[in-house]
Amino acid sequence: MTRREIRRPIAIGVTVLLIAAGCAGGVSREETTAAIAQLGADDMAALVPVSREATDAVTDACASGQPGDVEAAADQVAVAQTRWHETEAWWMGPATDLRANALVDWPVNTDDVDELLAAAEPVTIDADYLAEFVGADTRGYGAAAYLLDGAPLDDRACDYATAATELAASTIDEVASAWTESTDAASFREQLTATGGLDAVVNHLLTLLSSRESAHLGARSASIERVLFGADGDSGLAVMVDDDLAARLRVEADRMVAVAGPVEQPSVEQQSAGFEEAAEALRATVATEVVAKLGIKVTFSDADGDSAG
C-alpha cells in the first residue's frame, strides 16, 4: 500500500443513526447526544487495531531489514497517523487528560530525533524512556516516520521507531478504553450521554475550528464533519437545527473540506491559508446560531494547544 492509497475510515459500529421525522430539528437532545457519544466511542475503538498494525509492521521491518518491509512499515505508520487525526473531534475528556497527542503525534523536531539517535544514553530506547525523558516533538508517529525514511535501519533506529509506535499505540488503547469501558467509573461515552455532553462536544468543535496549526487539515475536517452530520451524513448535530441552518452548515463544511485537501495527504501552506477562512466561517455559524439554537454554554479551555499537530 502506498501513502496515496490510504482509505478514509467508516467506523460506524453500533452507532445509532438519527433521521429527523418530518423536519430538521425533530430529534431530541438526549437521542442526539447519545448517538454522537457512541460515534466517538466507535471511532476511537476503530483506531486500536490500526495502531497495533503500525507497531507490528515496524517490528517486522526491523526483523527482516528488507527495503520493501521498511516501506510497508512507513505506509502503515502513515495510515495510523492519518486515522489518529481523523479523531480530532474526539480529543476531549480522556485524550485531554492524558495529553494524548503529545504522545501520539506532535509535530516532529528532526534535529532532536537525530540527537537522541546519536546519543550514547540510553543504551536502548524504549517506550517508557520516550514517555518520560524526551519532548513531545521527539516521539510519536512523526518520529517513527522520519526514522523509517532513513532506511536501512541500524539496531538503535529500529529500537527507536518501534518504541515510538508502541507508545502511540498504548496511548490510543488507553484513550479508547476510557471511551468504551465501564470499570470503577462510567465510560466517557456514558458520561457524555448522561451529563452535558452536547456542551462538551460543541465547545471542542469550536476549539478545533479556531486552531490553524495542523499538518493534517483534511483529517481534521473529516472529524468535524462527522460531529456535524454523523457517519451517515444525515445525523449528528445538524438534525437538531432547522432546514435552513442545516443547509448552510453543509455548504460551509463542504467548502472547508475542499480547501483542506485530501485526508491522507499532509497539508501545505496554500491549503492552510484557505482553511483558515473556511473554518472561520463555519466556526462563526456554530458559535452563534448553533450555540443559540441548542442552548450551549460556551467555555474556554487551557488545553487548546493540545490539538496541535
Side-chain angles (χ1 to χ4, degrees):
M1 177 186 286
T2 66
R3 287 177 175 80
R4 294 185 179 180
E5 291 170 334
I6 299 168
R7 294 291 181 260
R8 184 172 172 178
I10 301 295
I12 298 177
V14 293
T15 302
V16 179
L17 302 181
L18 297 176
I19 301 176
C23 64
V27 178
S28 74
R29 188 184 188 93
E30 292 75 17
E31 287 179 302
T32 303
T33 304
I36 290 173
Q38 184 63 60
L39 181 59
D42 289 344
D43 284 355
M44 280 297 179
L47 264 179
V48 173
V50 176
S51 66
R52 291 175 181 171
E53 286 167 11
T55 302
D56 289 345
V58 174
T59 301
D60 291 345
C62 286
S64 75
Q66 296 300 310
D69 290 337
V70 175
E71 183 178 353
D75 287 338
Q76 196 60 51
V77 166
V79 171
Q81 186 178 45
T82 297
R83 290 288 297 274
W84 168 244
H85 286 280
E86 283 189 285
T87 67
E88 285 193 30
W90 314 121
W91 290 2
M92 63 185 91
T96 299
D97 294 342
L98 291 168
R99 301 187 75 85
N101 197 45
L103 299 168
V104 177
D105 192 45
W106 202 260
V108 65
N109 183 324
T110 57
D111 289 339
D112 285 353
V113 172
D114 287 338
E115 183 178 342
L116 178 56
L117 197 61
E121 297 291 337
V123 174
T124 300
I125 301 171
D126 59 22
D128 288 340
Y129 183 85
L130 294 182
E132 295 292 333
F133 297 110
V134 307
D137 60 1
T138 316
R139 59 195 177 206
Y141 287 134
Y146 173 68
L147 290 162
L148 291 166
D149 277 344
L153 305 180
D154 60 21
D155 289 345
R156 187 168 179 80
C158 273
D159 288 342
Y160 193 167
T162 302
T165 55
E166 286 177 344
L167 178 60
S170 65
T171 303
I172 287 169
D173 188 62
E174 191 171 354
V175 173
S177 294
W179 268 88
T180 59
E181 296 178 9
S182 301
T183 52
D184 295 336
S187 68
F188 189 63
R189 176 188 62 78
E190 293 168 328
Q191 292 174 42
L192 275 182
T193 301
T195 56
L198 217 55
D199 284 16
V201 169
V202 173
N203 274 281
H204 183 63
L205 200 65
L206 291 172
T207 296
L208 281 186
L209 289 167
S210 299
S211 176
R212 310 296 181 244
E213 299 299 324
S214 178
H216 301 274
L217 295 176
R220 172 179 291 177
S221 297
S223 77
I224 292 170
E225 264 196 311
R226 287 172 77 76
V227 174
L228 290 174
F229 306 106
D232 60 339
D234 291 310
S235 52
L237 290 174
V239 299
M240 295 190 68
V241 303
D242 60 59
D243 291 341
D244 177 67
L245 178 52
R248 284 188 285 119
L249 287 171
R250 180 75 271 175
V251 169
E252 290 173 356
D254 284 348
R255 181 180 172 220
M256 177 186 66
V257 168
V259 298
V263 168
E264 68 274 12
Q265 293 181 8
S267 307
V268 297
E269 185 175 349
Q270 296 91 326
Q271 288 171 323
S272 298
F275 179 86
E276 181 170 354
E277 181 181 353
E280 174 55 30
L282 180 56
R283 188 208 63 80
T285 300
V286 173
T288 55
E289 298 184 62
V290 174
V291 163
K293 174 67 176 177
L294 303 185
I296 300 297
K297 181 179 179 181
V298 177
T299 57
F300 298 93
S301 169
D302 60 3
D304 289 355
D306 281 353
S307 65

